[in-house]
Every structure is written in structure tokens, then in C-alpha cells.
């Protein structure tokens, strides 16, 4: 039972254009969502997060949008740069009143940004 | 240390042998997680330690897998009687909570031959 799904295994965009990575979830108890970036032979690194009380969070070139009714979130990268080429993982957690909780990850989307 | 440290970085073992994987979390982080990533797959949750609470072991795939966290710091993941399907990258993460994410180590690549 895949609670967090990234249906696009790969995405290729031109440098300078927008990259949009999508993620869907099924568990309505999820209240905290994160995006991670992973290079080969390295651990995932945290990019950006969003709480379920918000529908948008922005950090520089990265913006995460959350649509709770559709159980869908997306990561926008504008403008895309070749250094953004990596695997991107969506993750979700049911934190409730605590500030930690296990993360459930999607399968990942490999982004390639072409110069 | 400055980050999450995992050892060894690579481990090749024969089928049927036991292995121990070590994780040193960031000092002061109360939460520690183990995940694994099999070839071409996403990150699969294994086990979660939070302070002195009983660990959440709901992700352990079989009773051959166990983990300890001693003194609220270092953790060891043990796989007994390894099988070829155990081959994966095993990732450890720690967290202090809050709005930030979880800090991952670089992982241990386990190959069972």
C-alpha cells in the first residue's frame, strides 16, 4: 500500500525553465510534507517543507504547493539549473501535536536539467 | 559531530551471515530513524526511536531485523542470516523536530552475495 506516490519516474527540462514535480498521498492523517533531494552515493538532503495549515511555502527558487482536498502537492523550481539534476523525494508525516514523526517517502522522481 | 555518520560505508557479506550497521546521530537529536533504499525503489521506513519511548518497529520486514539505540545516541541495525533481497542502501537520519527536516547520513551500501 503506497501511501505517498510520485507517478513520474523522471523529468527533463531545459535550463532556465520551470521544473514541476508532483506527489500524491492517500492518508488524510498526514499533516506535514517535505521534499528531499538526493545525489548518487549521498544521503537525501532536506529542501523545503509545508504544514497542512498552509497551501504554499516558498524558499528562493523552490516553492511547494499543497492541495489538501486533492491530496496533492507539488514542488516548483524556477529557474531550473543543471545543478538541480538529482532524484527528488516527496515525504509525508503524521505529526499531530508532536514535532517529530516517521516520514513516508514516495518512490522519487529523477530530474535532469539540460544546459 | 557535524552530521549523521554511518559505518561502514560499504559492506559485502555472504548469504546467511549476520551484519551490524552503525549510526552516529547529530548530538542532541532525540529522534533517530532507519530507512533502506533498494535498487530503483524509494526510501522504505524500517524503525524509529524517539527519546525514551518504545521504538516504532512497524517497518521492519522480518524478525531477522532488529535495532538498538544505546544511551539515546548511537544506534545499531542488525540483520541476521542475511538474504540477497536484503541488499540495499541503509540510511539513518536524526531529528530535533521543528520545521526543519531530518538529517540523513550517507548510508551503508549492503551487498549480500
Amino acid at each position: 500500500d503506497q501511501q505517498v506516490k510520485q507517478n513520474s519516474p523522471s523529468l527533463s527540462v531545459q535550463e532556465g525553465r520551470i521544473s514541476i514535480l508532483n506527489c500524491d498521498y492517500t492518508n488524510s492523517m498526514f499533516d506535514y510534507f517535505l521534499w528531499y533531494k538526493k545525489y548518487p552515493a549521498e544521503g537525501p538532503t532536506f529542501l523545503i517543507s509545508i504544514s497542512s495549515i498552509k497551501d504554499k511555502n516558498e524558499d528562493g527558487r523552490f516553492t511547494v504547493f499543497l492541495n489538501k482536498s486533492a491530496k496533492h502537492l507539488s514542488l516548483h523550481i524556477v529557474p531550473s539549473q543543471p545543478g538541480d539534476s538529482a532524484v527528488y523525494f516527496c515525504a509525508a508525516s503524521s505529526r499531530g501535536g508532536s514535532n517529530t514523526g516517521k516520514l513516508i517517502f514516495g518512490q522519487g522522481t529523477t530530474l535532469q536539467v539540460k544546459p | 559531530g557535524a552530521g549523521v555518520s554511518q559505518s561502514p560505508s560499504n559492506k559485502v557479506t555472504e548469504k546467511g551471515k549476520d551484519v551490524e550497521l552503525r549510526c552516529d546521530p547529530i548530538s542532541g537529536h532525540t529522534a533517530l530513524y532507519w530507512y533502506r533504499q533498494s535498487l530503483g525503489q524509494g526510501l522504505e521506513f524500517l524503525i524509529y526511536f524517539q527519546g525514551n519511548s518504545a521504538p516504532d518497529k512497524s517497518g521492519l520486514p522480518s524478525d531477522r531485523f532488529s535495532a538498538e539505540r544505546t544511551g539515546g545516541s548511537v544506534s545499531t541495525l542488525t540483520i541476521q542470516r542475511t538474504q540477497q533481497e536484503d541488499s540495499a542502501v541503509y540510511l539513518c537520519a536524526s531529528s530535533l523536530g521543528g520545521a526543519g527536516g531530518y538529517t540523513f547520513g550517507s548510508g551503508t551500501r549492503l551487498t549480500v552475495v
Side-chain angles (χ1 to χ4, degrees), chain A residues 51-92:
Chain A
S51 164
S52 60
I53 62 173
K54 295 185 174 182
D55 55 17
K56 177 182 175 181
N57 189 25
E58 191 172 353
D59 183 2
R61 297 186 297 115
F62 301 91
T63 303
V64 55
F65 295 92
L66 176 62
N67 182 334
K68 288 188 292 294
S69 61
K71 294 191 177 67
H72 177 84
L73 64 156
S74 61
L75 175 68
H76 292 209
I77 307 173
V78 181
S80 301
Q81 300 173 353
D84 296 330
S85 299
V87 179
Y88 288 78
F89 290 97
C90 167

Side-chain angles (χ1 to χ4, degrees), chain A residues 87-109:
Chain A
V87 179
Y88 288 78
F89 290 97
C90 167
S93 177
S94 302
R95 289 193 162 188
S98 73
N99 61 2
T100 61
K102 71 186 182 190
L103 298 179
I104 306 298
F105 283 85
Q107 308 95 309
T109 297

